[in-house]
Amino acid sequence: QKEVEQNSGPLSVPEGAIASLNCTYSDRGSQSFFWYRQYSGKSPELIMFIYSNGDKEDGRFTAQLNKASQYVSLLIRDSQPSDSATYLCAVLVWDSSYKLIFGSGTRLLVRP
Amino acid sequence: DAGVIQSPRHEVTEMGQEVTLRCKPISGHDYLFWYRQTMMRGLELLIYFNNNVPIDDSGMPEDRFSAKMPNASFSTLKIQPSEPRDSAVYFCASLDRGRGVTEAFFGQGTRLTVV
């Protein structure tokens, strides 16, 4: 079992819709959780991080964390074609030092 | 700070040749990670350092891969000898854990093609 799992997609949504991206992780020592966006040919860039159970909102983006279920999600409201990219879930795990592990990413397509 | 700097941006080499990828982390960051990204396997963690010390190299695929961090401002990933299956984008990222929850900053990546 991979440590961080994501559906590879593609997830296709119409412009203006809500896109829901999901991620599960296996290590209960996971402490912080990140969502990165990666455009084709570019390096990943951080969208949001979350480390407490519940929701965290930033503009059109909401991250949700449920540590009991080992589940993290990212909601994108009012999706735009410019949101089309690969979204990477990352987990910071403590194991005598910190280790940052990524999922394989979910490709999101927003149709105009 | 200019961010994480990787060089070269692109590398094309022949099978069997030695390849060295370079990374300059953000000043003051205490963690440095090397990743390899392919379509099939996504972003794989190869090795990471804390305060210049290698912590976990279990992600290094074979003995042909080695990494060093001789000081806080420089790290190398070496492949010797290189093989076509090593073709991928290699990313370096640095993180400052001392400031609490914070993000890992990525370099622009090195696109390696082994022919």
Side-chain angles (χ1 to χ4, degrees):
Chain A
Q1 179 190 6
K2 290 193 68 175
E3 294 181 78
V4 181
E5 300 223 34
Q6 297 181 253
N7 188 314
S8 61
L11 172 66
S12 181
V13 300
E15 184 174 355
I18 295 175
S20 178
L21 304 162
N22 305 314
C23 171
T24 58
Y25 60 95
S26 60
D27 194 324
R28 289 195 174 272
S30 302
Q31 299 198 351
S32 305
F33 307 85
F34 304 83
W35 283 100
Y36 280 78
R37 177 176 60 199
Q38 185 177 27
Y39 292 112
S40 180
K42 301 295 185 182
S43 55
E45 55 180 350
L46 184 73
I47 299 175
M48 293 189 68
F49 68 84
I50 186 169
Y51 53 90
S52 299
N53 275 328
D55 296 359
K56 180 181 179 182
E57 186 175 318
D58 184 1
R60 296 187 296 113
F61 299 95
T62 298
Q64 299 174 317
L65 173 61
N66 184 325
K67 290 187 176 181
S69 301
Q70 296 176 247
Y71 176 89
V72 192
S73 66
L74 179 70
L75 301 178
I76 306 174
R77 290 181 298 281
D78 188 23
S79 295
Q80 301 297 309
S82 59
D83 295 327
S84 298
T86 296
Y87 289 80
L88 299 163
C89 173
V91 175
L92 193 65
V93 179
W94 170 257
D95 182 14
S96 70
S97 69
Y98 288 101
K99 179 166 67 171
L100 186 63
I101 303 169
F102 283 80
S104 298
T106 298
R107 187 167 159 232
L108 173 66
L109 297 174
V110 181
R111 308 186 304 270
Chain B
D1 202 309
V4 178
I5 300 173
Q6 291 186 247
S7 64
R9 291 289 307 278
H10 302 273
E11 177 81 32
V12 180
T13 190
E14 291 186 347
M15 182 174 63
Q17 296 297 307
E18 177 180 296
V19 175
T20 299
L21 311 181
R22 298 173 176 80
C23 175
K24 181 180 187 304
I26 294 173
S27 176
H29 282 197
D30 55 347
Y31 278 85
L32 184 141
F33 302 87
W34 280 102
Y35 295 93
R36 177 174 70 175
Q37 188 173 41
T38 61
M39 288 292 291
M40 291 297 295
R41 302 173 70 90
L43 200 60
E44 300 175 276
L45 177 61
L46 300 178
I47 185 172
Y48 66 102
F49 297 82
N50 178 210
N51 292 322
N52 313 337
V53 177
I55 301 300
D56 185 349
D57 65 354
S58 61
M60 298 285 256
E62 298 172 35
D63 291 345
R64 299 184 295 106
F65 287 70
S66 63
K68 294 181 180 180
M69 192 165 185
N71 56 62
S73 59
F74 185 65
S75 178
T76 59
L77 178 68
K78 185 178 293 186
I79 308 173
Q80 166 63 20
S82 58
E83 297 183 4
R85 58 190 166 134
D86 301 330
S87 298
V89 180
Y90 291 80
F91 286 105
C92 168
S94 71
L95 179 152
D96 181 3
R97 193 65 186 109
R99 296 186 185 179
V101 177
T102 187
E103 67 180 287
F105 292 85
F106 279 77
Q108 295 292 86
T110 295
R111 182 174 295 277
L112 174 64
T113 303
V114 183
V115 298

